[in-house]
Amino acid sequence: MDFQFTEEQLAVQAAARDFAQSELWAGVIERDEHQKFPAEQVKKMGELGFLGMMVSPEYGGGGMDTVSYVLAMEEISKVDASCSVIMSVNNSLVCWGLEKYGNEEQKQKYLTKLTTGEMIGAFALSEPEAGSDATSQSTTAEDKGDHYLLNGTKNWITNGSSASVYLVIAQTNPELKHRGINVLIVEKDMPGFVVGPKENKLGIRGSDTHSLMFTDVKVPKENRIGEDGFGFKFAMQVLAGGRIGIAAQALGIASGAFELALKYSKERKAFGVEIAKHQAIQFKLADMATNIDAARLLCLQAAQDKDAHRDYAKSGAMAKLFASKVAMDTAVEAVQVHGGYGFVKEFHVERMMRDAKITQIYEGTSEIQKIVISRELLK
Ligand code: CAA
């Protein structure tokens, strides 16, 4: 492993840090409180190139590597994990999948707008009874010759109402099980497509999470990505990369909470000295910093695997499994270091503690990551 960052990677990290500090920090508590979607901030992320970071410049992307993406995700997640999940879904699940497996027409029509933020994308796999068990899709895409007839419900979809393009996973041929699943590009204004009410969530409250309902939605055949029956493999492939993005999000939440705890421990006095002088606090800070460094190494290892075209299913799952636990543990400890102040909103760490939890759930729960890792080990 060689983690000497290039000048370009360092410049991306600095730009993301600047953006997060100057554009995200000020309103983050209010957006969380009122579940307000960060529309202006997302527009700016598009202008700055954070929405299609790894896409080739030919389609309006930044042509950057996964390491740069991890560095940017960490910086943005340190301040606002709602913004970073919007960014992560658009980059990893939608843009990456379209560039890798879409045809030229699909790329020209959708990708060129998704990279700039003119359009936001969503990825619709989860269903009321198919979250972890992703092969059990009950949404159907019936083959009608020149189009598919889409019927079913999707749940917990990030960018649910802000998106205008949705990659929807649906079953076409149940006899073939996962090999009969397709992925279709669905536009928001297609008749029969309804976005359900917004979920009232514990964390990442600035991002909009909705259910989606499809009733006899006619999706043209040219909107299918890949060959007939490729949808499940598509989902597994994009999720393998997506897990690196969520691992970096978890890393960012952890390092954001740690930085606040460190600063506070040098300001707050108890028993006549700054609390950082007490060993009880020093032990917490040492554990947090050690775990965060380990999580960062796993994230960068997975990103390097992807950039070097090595298999990254295992390293990505390991990064997500570990970094999401570190995010949760660090945020809880950061609240503890802050004492009573940690329990009120103005000090940010209670929000980070709430935001951290989802990193152990979406894009595969921690238990799913262990399944992915152990399958690779036992191959
Ligand atoms: N790349 C390519 N193909 C893959 C793959 C990968 N990484 N992983 C599995 N596959 C293929 C297998 O090779 C197999 O294909 P064949 O039968 O043709 O050989 C096929 O997929 C089925 O694989 P499995 O038998 O391993 O499938 P399974 O039913 O046992 O489940 C699982 C595997 C890992 C548990 C999978 O269901 C899974 O990842 N579940 C979690 C889903 C998930 O992450 N959901 C999150 C929703 S999206 C989200 O959260 C976005 C957001 O809002 C932020």
Side-chain angles (χ1 to χ4, degrees), residues 85 89 93 123 125-126 131-135 156-158 178-179 232-233 236-237 239-240 243 246 313 361-365 368-369 371-372 375:
V85 71
V89 166
L93 302 185
F123 176 77
L125 169 79
S126 302
S132 293
D133 181 8
T135 51
W156 313 293
I157 305 305
T158 304
H178 66 273
R179 293 186 185 144
F232 191 75
K233 288 229 165 158
M236 291 299 107
Q237 285 284 330
L239 282 167
R243 285 166 188 159
I246 298 302
I361 297 173
Y362 57 24
E363 299 199 19
T365 59
I368 290 291
Q369 307 313 314
I371 291 174
V372 172
R375 281 187 185 181

Side-chain angles (χ1 to χ4, degrees), residues 86-334:
I86 298 163
M87 170 178 164
S88 174
V89 166
N90 203 71
N91 273 283
S92 300
L93 302 185
V94 181
C95 287
W96 188 82
L98 262 170
E99 182 168 34
K100 175 101 177 152
Y101 298 110
N103 61 34
E104 192 52 34
E105 213 184 326
Q106 292 167 343
K107 290 182 203 179
Q108 291 299 342
K109 189 167 175 191
Y110 301 107
L111 189 57
T112 51
K113 297 192 172 76
L114 286 159
T115 48
T116 58
E118 198 181 323
M119 281 180 168
I120 302 292
F123 176 77
L125 169 79
S126 302
E127 296 189 350
E129 288 177 21
S132 293
D133 181 8
T135 51
S136 295
Q137 292 290 309
S138 47
T139 297
T140 53
E142 210 184 322
D143 190 336
K144 292 286 189 186
D146 65 342
H147 67 273
Y148 288 99
L149 207 56
L150 187 64
N151 279 288
T153 299
K154 296 288 177 183
N155 269 26
W156 313 293
I157 305 305
T158 304
N159 300 341
S161 74
S162 56
S164 37
V165 177
Y166 300 74
L167 304 189
V168 180
I169 310 293
Q171 180 61 261
T172 296
N173 190 339
E175 279 170 22
L176 296 178
K177 300 197 170 134
H178 66 273
R179 293 186 185 144
I181 289 174
N182 279 309
V183 51
L184 306 178
I185 305 170
V186 176
E187 294 179 21
K188 195 184 215 159
D189 56 6
M190 286 181 172
F193 175 18
V194 174
V195 176
K198 191 170 178 167
E199 300 290 355
N200 187 2
K201 296 176 296 186
L202 173 75
I204 55 161
R205 287 168 56 82
S207 73
D208 62 320
T209 306
H210 292 255
S211 50
L212 311 175
M213 277 81 83
F214 305 100
T215 310
D216 289 340
V217 180
K218 273 171 102 172
V219 185
K221 259 224 173 122
E222 63 258 27
N223 281 25
R224 187 184 74 209
I225 300 177
E227 294 297 306
D228 187 22
F230 179 64
F232 191 75
K233 288 229 165 158
F234 175 89
M236 291 299 107
Q237 285 284 330
V238 297
L239 282 167
R243 285 166 188 159
I244 303 175
I246 298 302
Q249 180 190 44
L251 170 66
I253 296 171
S255 41
F258 168 72
E259 283 176 13
L260 291 175
L262 182 67
K263 182 167 174 283
Y264 181 81
S265 72
K266 292 192 270 187
E267 292 165 359
R268 172 72 202 251
K269 286 192 174 157
F271 304 101
V273 289
E274 292 81 28
I275 60 169
K277 298 229 163 82
H278 295 298
Q279 212 174 39
I281 300 295
Q282 291 170 1
F283 282 2
K284 285 189 195 303
L285 295 173
D287 279 342
M288 288 187 216
T290 305
N291 284 329
I292 290 168
D293 272 12
R296 189 175 291 109
L297 287 171
L298 282 175
C299 287
L300 291 171
Q301 171 67 75
Q304 258 193 6
D305 282 347
K306 186 158 176 285
D307 289 336
H309 307 290
R310 293 187 291 262
D311 190 1
Y312 52 88
K314 179 169 72 115
S315 54
M318 282 180 165
K320 182 180 181 291
L321 174 67
F322 188 74
S324 61
K325 180 168 174 5
V326 170
M328 201 63 233
D329 294 351
T330 306
V332 168
E333 284 296 68

